[in-house]
Amino acid sequence: MTIRWGILGPGKIAESFVTGLAATDTGVLAALGGRDLSRVRAFGSRFGVAESHCHGSYDALLADTDIDAVYISTPHPWHCEHSLGALKRGLSVLCEKPAGMDASEVQMIVAAAEEHACFFMEALMYRSHPLTARVLALIDEGCIGTPLHVDACFGFDAPRDPASRLFAKELGGGAILDVGCYPLSFARLMAGRCSGVDIEEPELMQAWGIVGPTGVDEVAWAQLVFPGGMSASIGCAIKRELGSRVRVRGATGSLSVDGDCWIPGTAEVAAGSRSPVTGRPDACIIVEPDEGDRYVIDIPHRLPLYAYEADAASRAIANGRREAEMPAPTHLDSIGNARALDRWRERVSRHPTE
């Protein structure tokens, strides 16, 4: 079964998803919907979507009978509304992170997915990439022993544009919602490995950050402690070059990622191409045992980043599942990450450093 996808909000991120989708055998792009019909048609002409399936409103896309699922890439504050609208029409949903503006919104979406017997997944793309699967496999093999501490961050320095989605409060701006979800979700995933469960939630959190002139958190840090004993230091930024870093300290060694751990599949692949991209690694995993030699594992670049996510979602839908399989985000995982993001944002808003 090939899943027919509609794109709700065709833009830059949607373009990356469509490019990835074209590299899979499990899904196809069938329709588009946005507020500007001319832009929708221009997007459609680039990716082979018939004009009859290029819609000038979101409602028109959701009413298109030739789609099975929608990928939602509108700004953060509309993720809940658009996910609920699609689920109520019986459509499966893959929604860009964050799934909602807070945990209550994510809970509503998950409840709607259950009520209407539809698939729902938060699009946190790195969780579907082979890099994440290999890191987890190494941890499970005991290469560094039980995880004890995670150091992870994702931060960049963007021009401060008050009208952009990154800096506008009304558009869900801020570092924590936009990129803090990456290191936070990874820390929760590793804490689960420490305790022998899929995901573990932090029991203690200390947080601080810098709130900029537009009223959003521009830089944020947090220290976490989990019930199983693992700790984590995480950071995120939209106005500071923190880079992309992951390091896991275990009982018998350490593991780190050399390369972009959050966006490892960045090579350009022509739309519609199904040819693997070879010749260089996406990233490398460096394992440093306390006893023994350091070694490096290359993660080969075979497909564009979003192909793995698109394939995971399409396969789950075709198999009649209502949620993804780990390590992709499950329903409870997305709710838990949203709750922790809420705590992080609330603490930074009450105790900013500037």
Side-chain angles (χ1 to χ4, degrees), residues 42-338:
F43 191 105
S45 68
R46 293 175 55 209
F47 292 99
V49 179
E51 276 203 10
S52 59
H53 291 292
C54 292
H55 306 288
S57 73
Y58 301 135
D59 285 342
L61 170 69
L62 298 181
D64 193 317
T65 57
D66 288 332
I67 61 173
D68 307 301
V70 293
Y71 171 76
I72 295 171
S73 56
T74 47
H76 302 165
W78 289 275
H79 286 179
C80 181
E81 175 187 341
H82 292 152
S83 293
L84 292 176
L87 292 166
K88 288 173 182 177
R89 289 179 178 268
L91 294 168
S92 293
V93 171
L94 176 63
C95 180
E96 262 307 322
K97 56 77 190 168
M101 288 293 292
D102 55 36
S104 66
E105 288 194 349
V106 182
Q107 287 174 310
M108 283 193 292
I109 296 167
V110 168
E114 293 296 329
E115 178 184 354
H116 299 284
C118 293
F119 174 86
F120 170 78
M121 173 178 156
E122 182 177 18
L124 200 58
M125 71 285 198
Y126 89 93
R127 292 280 292 272
S128 299
H129 195 275
L131 174 63
T132 300
R134 192 72 177 98
V135 167
L136 292 177
L138 288 166
I139 296 293
D140 291 344
E141 290 164 12
C143 72
I144 62 168
T146 302
L148 301 177
H149 183 78
V150 165
D151 180 19
C153 64
F154 190 179
F156 53 88
D157 189 358
R160 188 183 286 116
D161 177 2
S164 78
R165 68 169 186 84
L166 289 176
F167 294 95
K169 201 167 187 177
E170 65 274 15
L171 295 179
I176 295 174
L177 273 185
D178 194 63
V179 290
C181 50
Y182 289 88
L184 177 60
S185 73
F186 183 82
R188 293 170 56 253
L189 190 61
M190 285 298 104
R193 256 44 191 187
C194 175
S195 298
V197 296
D198 284 342
I199 291 286
E200 192 169 62
E201 305 303 338
E203 61 179 358
L204 297 175
M205 176 188 290
Q206 291 183 325
W208 58 99
I210 298 172
V211 175
T214 64
V216 304
D217 51 280
E218 296 185 344
V219 186
W221 299 268
Q223 298 286 338
L224 311 174
V225 178
F226 294 86
M230 198 197 85
S231 57
S233 303
I234 60 175
C236 62
I238 55 174
K239 204 74 195 72
R240 183 169 299 180
E241 195 64 58
L242 299 181
S244 299
R245 182 177 70 252
V246 158
R247 184 177 179 84
V248 183
R249 176 65 205 181
T252 60
S254 63
L255 175 155
S256 58
V257 175
D258 182 18
D260 196 325
C261 43
W262 312 122
I263 314 176
T266 54
E268 294 183 3
V269 178
S273 170
R274 295 178 183 271
S275 301
V277 181
T278 58
R280 70 171 184 84
D282 275 357
C284 300
I285 301 171
I286 301 171
V287 181
E288 300 176 272
D290 290 342
E291 297 183 7
D293 295 332
R294 168 185 184 271
Y295 57 97
V296 178
I297 301 170
D298 286 344
I299 305 300
H301 190 123
R302 303 192 185 283
L303 296 170
L305 174 62
Y306 286 77
Y308 302 104
E309 177 182 75
D311 185 61
S314 293
R315 288 183 186 277
I317 296 166
N319 290 331
R321 296 180 59 89
R322 297 183 189 177
E323 62 181 328
E325 295 185 71
M326 291 289 292
T330 62
H331 291 172
L332 288 179
D333 183 10
S334 290
I335 292 171
N337 214 51

